[in-house]
Amino acid sequence: LPAQLLRLAQDAEAELRLQRDLLLQIQRLSRLQRQKTPKPPQTTAAAAEAELPVIPVLVLACDRSSVRRCLDKLLRYRPSARRFPVIVSQDCGHAETARVIASYGPAVAHIRQPDLSDIAVPPEHRKFQGYYRISRHYRWALGQVFRTFRYRAAIVVEDDLEVAPDFFEYFQAVFPLLRRDPSLWCISAWNDNGKEAMVDAGRAELLYRTDFFPGLGWLLLAELWDELEPKWPPAFWDDWMRQPEQRRGRACVRPEVSRTMTFGRKGVSHGQFFDQYLKFIKLNDRFVPFTQLDLSYLKKEEYERFFLQQVYSAPEVKIEELQKDAGRDLGAVRLQYRGRDSFKALAKALGLMDDLKSGVPRAGYRGIVSFVCRGRRVFLAPPSDWTGYDPSWS
């Protein structure tokens, strides 16, 4: 019996030693695991800021000393100098404009287009020399941004544009969509039909897809410049962008209420459209937190599903009914056009811009122009069996 008790005691002691060794081994492994597992990085405002993309604002300037108005608003509203560096590219060699730009010191980068020579143009284009110079300047300036400075995207602004308080918020929010969606090729701050009476200022958060290249404050990716630079035109670059060969079925995003307005009546176009349309464009004055909104509705499939249903489920009316109806608190309606002349007559009667570029109406998507008339949402639309644009409509 004593021998049995002794053996039991020894076995119990051995079991305790084994359990103690096992516990020590577990503790040692736990310490090693803690050492190997990196601590999650501390999220700080500075770290979050560093992860956001850098998108320069390229300001095209020439001989307008009023570029100060443009630059003042850009610098006032930009949320970060690091993320939105301002680069002013000056053509023309105008001394007073150069002094204004230089007065901003390090707040802006000032680069100068080196070739100020006259451009040989066809005799019938002699009066369009200015358009040739602009196209040359755009090519050089975009080349500097994407080739020399090697940015991956840029917002292009001309020296006669004033920006809205949420200009940067808008571009920052839509930028990821542009990068992901190959059916988009630009983001624009401009609504061609954005006169105050023709927009819903209370719905400043509304965004649209448009087949018409708006310009006037627009964002492009470096990949698009890779595509366009080798064939960049000698003149009339914006209308060239609107040709099917460049657009290639892609769309831009544009706002209900413009995030830019132009104050430059004098220029190469000699005030064309300015007195009739441009000076009446409403500049948004209410900050919209776009980066906090769900913008997935702008993806092509989703957008076409809900937008086309919205348009073609709206009751069709005649223009006479629309013009006599006050329209307050009434639902959306549709005006239908059936050809080029029909579109132009309706657009002109309603105060819309009635010109077409390669068959595409300004602010249009799949031929549809959305606007407000007498307080009511109106869709100027082709028949629902629309199959595409006719480039001969011009």
Side-chain angles (χ1 to χ4, degrees), residues 38 91 102-103 120 122 197:
D91 198 3
S103 73

Side-chain angles (χ1 to χ4, degrees), residues 197-266:
M198 306 189 81
V199 298
D200 185 349
R203 298 294 310 280
E205 76 281 1
L206 286 177
L207 304 178
Y208 299 82
R209 294 175 69 101
T210 176
D211 296 321
F212 191 91
F213 171 73
L216 293 170
W218 57 288
L219 187 153
L220 75 158
L221 302 179
E223 290 82 359
L224 181 61
W225 184 242
D226 291 341
E227 176 188 324
L228 299 178
E229 183 185 31
K231 54 179 182 174
W232 191 254
F236 310 109
W237 71 270
D238 49 351
D239 282 345
W240 174 83
M241 290 276 287
R242 294 162 183 151
Q243 294 172 358
E245 296 80 8
Q246 279 64 254
R247 190 171 73 82
R248 292 169 48 197
R250 294 171 293 189
C252 295
V253 174
R254 60 98 175 167
E256 167 79 5
V257 185
S258 286
R259 264 60 186 186
T260 54
M261 64 168 285
T262 177
F263 53 85
R265 185 182 186 281
K266 293 183 178 179

Side-chain angles (χ1 to χ4, degrees), residues 177 180-184 209 296-309 365-366:
L177 184 65
R180 290 193 302 264
D181 187 347
S183 71
L184 292 173
R209 294 175 69 101
S296 61
Y297 70 91
L298 291 166
K299 294 176 183 176
K300 184 176 182 179
E301 295 77 14
E302 189 171 339
Y303 186 83
E304 291 193 353
R305 185 167 58 250
F306 90 82
F307 182 65
L308 295 180
Q309 192 277 333
Y365 187 71
R366 291 182 59 90

Side-chain angles (χ1 to χ4, degrees), residues 40-319:
Q42 296 297 311
T43 302
T44 64
E49 163 85 6
E51 290 179 4
L52 292 168
V54 175
I55 308 173
V57 180
L58 173 64
V59 180
L60 280 292
C62 178
D63 58 358
R64 288 189 182 105
S65 57
S66 57
V67 67
R68 183 180 298 280
R69 180 173 169 182
C70 171
L71 293 175
D72 282 350
K73 290 297 175 67
L74 284 171
L75 296 176
R76 176 179 170 184
Y77 294 137
R78 72 173 174 176
S80 163
R82 186 197 71 83
R83 278 169 34 224
F84 297 103
V86 174
I87 303 168
V88 185
S89 178
Q90 189 188 358
D91 198 3
C92 312
H94 188 251
E96 176 57 27
T97 302
R99 280 193 292 272
V100 170
I101 299 166
S103 73
Y104 288 87
V108 306
H110 185 189
I111 60 176
R112 302 172 195 244
Q113 201 282 110
D115 185 1
L116 304 182
S117 63
D118 287 337
I119 301 172
V121 302
E124 65 273 18
H125 277 192
R126 196 171 293 121
K127 64 179 180 179
F128 299 131
Q129 174 84 217
Y131 290 99
Y132 283 80
R133 289 177 177 272
I134 289 171
S135 193
R136 176 175 67 184
H137 186 195
Y138 261 85
R139 180 171 190 159
W140 181 83
L142 287 167
Q144 292 297 299
V145 166
F146 292 120
R147 302 285 175 253
T148 304
F149 305 139
R150 306 188 70 80
Y151 287 110
R152 301 309 303 162
I155 301 168
V156 182
V157 171
E158 294 190 4
D159 57 358
D160 62 346
L161 290 181
E162 181 177 332
V163 304
D166 57 358
F167 174 86
F168 291 98
E169 174 78 0
Y170 166 63
F171 281 112
Q172 183 180 317
V174 189
F175 175 66
L177 184 65
L178 178 65
R179 286 202 299 189
R180 290 193 302 264
D181 187 347
S183 71
L184 292 173
W185 71 322
C186 89
I187 305 164
S188 174
W190 183 258
N191 176 1
D192 276 293
N193 293 308
K195 291 192 284 189
E196 187 157 12
M198 306 189 81
V199 298
D200 185 349
R203 298 294 310 280
E205 76 281 1
L206 286 177
L207 304 178
Y208 299 82
R209 294 175 69 101
T210 176
D211 296 321
F212 191 91
F213 171 73
L216 293 170
W218 57 288
L219 187 153
L220 75 158
L221 302 179
E223 290 82 359
L224 181 61
W225 184 242
D226 291 341
E227 176 188 324
L228 299 178
E229 183 185 31
K231 54 179 182 174
W232 191 254
F236 310 109
W237 71 270
D238 49 351
D239 282 345
W240 174 83
M241 290 276 287
R242 294 162 183 151
Q243 294 172 358
E245 296 80 8
Q246 279 64 254
R247 190 171 73 82
R248 292 169 48 197
R250 294 171 293 189
C252 295
V253 174
R254 60 98 175 167
E256 167 79 5
V257 185
S258 286
R259 264 60 186 186
T260 54
M261 64 168 285
T262 177
F263 53 85
R265 185 182 186 281
K266 293 183 178 179
V268 292
S269 62
H270 304 293
Q272 182 190 23
F273 295 134
F274 186 86
D275 290 326
Q276 190 177 359
Y277 296 103
L278 303 183
K279 72 179 183 181
F280 299 111
I281 297 294
K282 176 175 173 55
L283 180 67
N284 182 58
D285 56 8
R286 178 171 67 86
F287 187 94
V288 174
F290 282 111
T291 54
Q292 298 172 31
L293 303 182
D294 180 3
L295 303 181
S296 61
Y297 70 91
L298 291 166
K299 294 176 183 176
K300 184 176 182 179
E301 295 77 14
E302 189 171 339
Y303 186 83
E304 291 193 353
R305 185 167 58 250
F306 90 82
F307 182 65
L308 295 180
Q309 192 277 333
Q310 182 184 27
V311 171
Y312 290 104
S313 65
E316 184 179 350
V317 299
K318 301 297 182 188
I319 189 169

